Amino acid sequence: MNQKSIELAKDPDLAGSLVAIRRAALRARQLAASTNTELVVLRDGKCVHIKPSGEQKPR
C-alpha cells in the first residue's frame, strides 16, 4: 500500500479530495444541527448515531 500523503498526488482531483471530504463532513454536521437530525458515523466498526448536541447512541 502507498504510504505517501494524498495531498502529494500528481492528479489534482485526487490531491484535493481530502479537503473536499472534510468540507462535506463539516457541511453535514451543520445541516444536522440546523435540522435537529442525527448523523450516522462509523466508529470502531460500528454504526453510531450522533445527535447534533454530541450525544452518541450505538446501533
Side-chain angles (χ1 to χ4, degrees):
M1 184 152 98
N2 190 349
Q3 297 297 322
K4 294 181 183 176
S5 175
I6 198 166
E7 290 91 2
L8 301 177
K10 292 180 183 176
D11 182 346
D13 289 334
L14 185 59
S17 64
L18 187 57
V19 174
I21 290 169
R22 288 183 177 150
R23 188 173 53 238
L26 174 63
R27 179 66 183 123
R29 288 191 299 271
Q30 290 170 339
L31 183 60
S34 68
T35 60
N36 198 29
T37 305
E38 293 181 337
L39 289 167
V40 179
V41 297
L42 192 63
R43 294 228 171 120
D44 299 323
K46 295 181 181 180
C47 285
V48 179
H49 290 237
I50 300 176
K51 293 185 178 186
S53 63
E55 297 175 30
Q56 296 180 17
K57 61 178 181 179
R59 296 241 173 145

